[in-house]
């Protein structure tokens, strides 16, 4: 089969690495890709927001199956448009992608189906929202309804902070003025992520992970797309995993099917593991980045038949095999990220780093510079630039391997956290 992956981050590099290894893959393409993905696939320069251009490339390259990485094209209906053009595509359609695209939609779905989540109310205007906050008290959580690149949530410790967040969101502080916000109770517990592969009717677990959203060690500093992750999450015991499937994931899949919007693709549940059990914080409708990288390192089975089975509604009785090991990834980012950063700094030592036992390096934002006569160089080309991943028997050993590899990379223009995995290590000790 000819496969096209859409996206350009570490998630897509990890997917390309697995899909390139499948005996079902004849030719692998990725659009737009990056310098690391180019080692696994032919990269096609393409604006993936231009669905007509994506369809034209699929026809030209005789693509049999498209795998969509990021949420923006899913929420914009790329799967609907590809399927309408007769091209098979992995991921939810626009309707089902509302699980990520609209927090209000997801909260209402949870309420109607008794799926455990924080109590909430939806607001279209600032003044009733502020009345609610004043009546309710703090801590309280204020969320913009639509996609906000991870910036649409404010966990407010005081009523004043919550009021300021309401004004900020309705006042256009997230780019455009929010047309609706959700205000919900603050959940207390340990956060974890859970992934399931869904075929519209049923779902199979893909495992759990924990990420590190803040930019600096000790979970300090501003939020990022994720500075590292590991899988599995120790807080996700077999009992908790089963409860998440039975109480959250499967009821969601059944509810969407009953609404006429069957969900096919990866359902990524952001969870709070509270004293009363797992509660849903939010859904994403895709693999996490960098969580995908650690899941792919642990997946023993061929990924491609599983994605095809999800697309074809054939997941019932489908089985995936996993290494019993832990996997951990350290994200290396350009100096200044998540604020302003420079592109184009030179990265060296990657081959040396990749030679560390159990290590796999995925590129998140790199570009190949062929301008010099004496060979190509890898340059940084984004905020998050490299995912240095390792698999081992324990999180501690995976962490040791990953940082051994990090220390072989010569990149003065970049930095990383040095404490990825701390929560799991506390439990291992
Ligand atoms: P989200 O974008 O919905 O994942 O929210 C971003 C982060 O805000 C989450 O990872 C949590 O740390 C926090 N958060 C969101 N909703 C809640 C809640 N109801 N209670 C406590 N923390 C929350
Ligand atoms: N790392 C979080 C996400 O992919 O949304």
């Amino acid at each position: 089969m000819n496969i096209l992956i859409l996206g350009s981050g570490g998630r897509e590099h990890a997917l390309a690495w697995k899909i390139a290894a499948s005996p079902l893959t004849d030719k692998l393409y990725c659009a737009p890709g990056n310098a690391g993905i180019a080692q696994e696939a032919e990269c096609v320069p393409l604006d993936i927001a231009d669905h007509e251009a994506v369809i034209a490339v699929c026809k030209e390259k005789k693509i049999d199956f498209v795998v969509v990485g990021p949420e923006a094209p899913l929420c914009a209906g790329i799967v609907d448009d590809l399927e309408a053009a007769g091209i098979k595509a992995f991921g939810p359609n626009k309707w089902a992608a509302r699980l990520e695209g609209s927090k209000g939609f997801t909260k209402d779905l949870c309420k109607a189906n008794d799926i455990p989540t924080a109590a909430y109310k939806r607001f279209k205007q600032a003044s009733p929202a502020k009345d609610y906050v004043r009546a309710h008290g703090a801590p309280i959580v204020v969320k913009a309804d639509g996609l906000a690149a991870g910036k649409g949530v404010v966990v407010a410790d005081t009523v004043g902070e919550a009021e300021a967040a309401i004004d900020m969101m309705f006042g256009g502080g997230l780019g455009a003025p929010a047309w609706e916000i959700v205000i919900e109770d603050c959940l207390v517990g340990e956060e974890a992520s859970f992934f399931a592969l869904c075929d519209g009717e049923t779902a199979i677990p893909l495992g759990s992970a924990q990420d590190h959203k803040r930019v600096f060690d000790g979970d300090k500093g501003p939020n990022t797309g994720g500075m590292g992750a590991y899988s599995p999450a120790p807080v996700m015991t077999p009992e908790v995993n089963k409860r998440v499937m039975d109480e959250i994931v499967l009821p969601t899949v059944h509810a969407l099917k009953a609404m006429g919007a069957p969900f096919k693709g990866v359902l990524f549940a952001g969870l709070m593991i509270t004293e009363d059990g797992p509660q849903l914080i939010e859904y994403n409708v895709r693999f996490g980045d960098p969580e995908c990288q650690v899941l792919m390192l642990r997946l023993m089975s061929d990924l491609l038949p599983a994605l095809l089975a999800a697309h074809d509604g054939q997941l019932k009785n489908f089985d995936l095999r996993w290494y019993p090991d832990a996997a951990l990834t350290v994200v290396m980012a350009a100096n200044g990220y998540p604020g302003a950063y420079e592109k184009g700094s030179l990265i060296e030592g990657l081959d040396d780093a990749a030679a560390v036992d159990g290590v796999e390096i995925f590129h998140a934002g790199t570009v190949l510079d062929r301008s010099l006569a004496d060979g190509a160089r890898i340059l940084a080309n984004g905020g998050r630039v490299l995912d240095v991943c390792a698999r081992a028997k324990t999180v501690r050993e995976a962490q040791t391997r990953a940082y051994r590899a990090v220390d072989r990379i010569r990149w003065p223009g970049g930095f990383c956290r040095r404490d990825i995995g701390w929560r799991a290590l506390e439990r291992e000790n």
Side-chain angles (χ1 to χ4, degrees):
M1 300 179 78
N2 293 336
I3 315 288
L4 171 66
I5 298 173
L6 298 182
S8 62
R11 166 180 51 210
E12 288 76 23
H13 189 181
L15 294 173
W17 176 71
K18 278 301 280 186
I19 291 172
S22 171
L24 294 176
T25 303
D26 292 314
K27 175 96 184 153
L28 179 61
Y29 297 90
C30 183
N34 64 40
I37 294 173
Q39 295 163 8
E40 309 285 353
E42 182 180 325
C43 293
V44 187
L46 188 62
D47 172 10
I48 61 173
D50 181 347
H51 298 188
E52 286 308 315
V54 175
I55 290 167
V57 163
C58 289
K59 291 193 168 151
E60 183 204 321
K61 309 278 189 200
K62 302 199 161 41
I63 299 298
D64 299 295
F65 193 48
V66 178
V67 178
V68 185
E71 65 276 19
L74 293 169
C75 292
I78 186 99
V79 168
D80 312 60
D81 292 342
L82 285 166
E83 295 274 344
I87 302 155
K88 277 188 176 194
F90 176 79
N93 63 20
K94 187 174 182 171
W95 226 83
R98 282 187 299 169
L99 280 182
E100 177 161 1
S102 168
K103 304 224 186 259
F105 171 78
T106 298
K107 296 298 288 189
D108 287 355
L109 182 135
C110 287
K111 191 173 181 183
N113 294 279
D114 289 326
I115 295 167
T117 190
Y120 71 104
K121 224 168 142 63
R122 301 171 70 165
F123 294 95
K124 284 196 161 64
Q125 269 137 16
S127 135
K130 288 185 190 170
D131 290 344
Y132 179 80
V133 162
R134 281 191 285 263
H136 199 285
I140 195 158
V141 185
V142 184
K143 301 187 172 185
D145 185 72
L147 290 184
K151 298 183 180 76
V153 174
V154 173
V155 180
D157 289 324
T158 64
V159 168
E161 264 177 55
E163 288 176 321
I166 292 165
D167 283 334
M168 179 275 284
M169 288 177 190
F170 282 121
L174 295 170
W179 75 287
E180 183 173 315
I181 65 169
V182 170
I183 299 186
E184 67 181 40
D185 290 0
C186 195
L187 297 168
V188 180
E190 183 171 337
E191 275 189 74
S193 303
F194 184 87
F195 299 83
L197 188 61
C198 309
D199 71 354
E201 301 239 345
T202 189
I204 58 172
L206 293 174
S208 64
Q210 273 173 319
D211 80 349
H212 302 65
K213 285 189 179 25
R214 304 299 190 97
V215 69
F216 299 130
D217 285 20
D219 293 332
K220 302 253 164 46
N223 269 327
T224 70
M227 294 301 291
Y230 51 86
S231 171
V235 67
M236 299 294 289
T237 60
E239 296 71 39
V240 178
N241 279 312
K242 183 169 184 326
R243 283 190 70 175
V244 172
M245 282 300 288
D246 292 346
E247 297 171 21
I248 298 177
V249 171
L250 290 169
T252 302
V253 171
H254 297 154
L256 280 169
K257 179 166 184 256
M259 289 165 81
F263 185 92
K264 293 183 177 187
V266 172
L267 192 56
F268 164 175
L271 303 169
M272 189 71 85
I273 312 306
T274 70
E275 277 183 351
D276 303 328
Q279 302 247 353
L280 183 74
I281 295 178
E282 63 155 2
Y283 273 134
N284 299 306
V285 297
R286 51 170 173 87
F287 280 108
D289 187 347
E291 292 88 340
C292 180
Q293 291 81 311
V294 283
L295 294 183
M296 291 305 108
L297 230 58
R298 294 188 52 232
L299 180 60
M300 192 187 287
S301 303
D302 188 349
L303 174 69
L304 189 52
L307 302 185
L308 288 164
H311 175 276
D312 295 338
Q314 300 292 333
L315 275 186
K316 199 167 168 234
N317 304 323
F318 200 94
D319 210 18
L320 284 171
R321 300 191 60 199
W322 300 87
Y323 292 102
D325 301 355
L328 179 140
T329 181
V330 176
V331 172
M332 298 187 76
N335 292 337
Y337 175 81
Y341 56 83
E342 306 237 313
K343 290 185 179 177
S345 54
L346 178 64
I347 304 169
E348 294 175 296
L350 287 173
D351 290 342
D352 224 12
V356 175
D357 200 25
V359 163
E360 206 59 55
I361 298 176
F362 298 120
H363 293 216
T366 60
V367 65
L368 208 54
D369 170 26
R370 291 202 181 82
S371 66
L372 301 183
D374 59 344
R377 312 182 302 165
I378 304 268
L379 304 180
N381 193 42
R384 292 190 294 172
V385 172
L386 296 168
D387 300 301
V388 182
C389 310
R391 202 179 73 216
K393 290 276 164 258
T394 62
V395 174
R396 165 148 326 271
E397 183 54 25
Q399 188 200 52
T400 303
R401 288 177 171 186
Y403 282 114
R404 197 174 293 149
V406 163
D407 290 336
R408 291 186 182 186
I409 295 172
R410 299 186 300 282
W411 180 30
F415 74 100
C416 66
R417 277 179 63 160
R418 299 295 313 194
D419 66 344
I420 300 303
W422 67 267
R423 205 184 287 278
L425 294 184
E426 269 183 6
R427 277 181 194 257
E428 270 182 8
N429 286 340

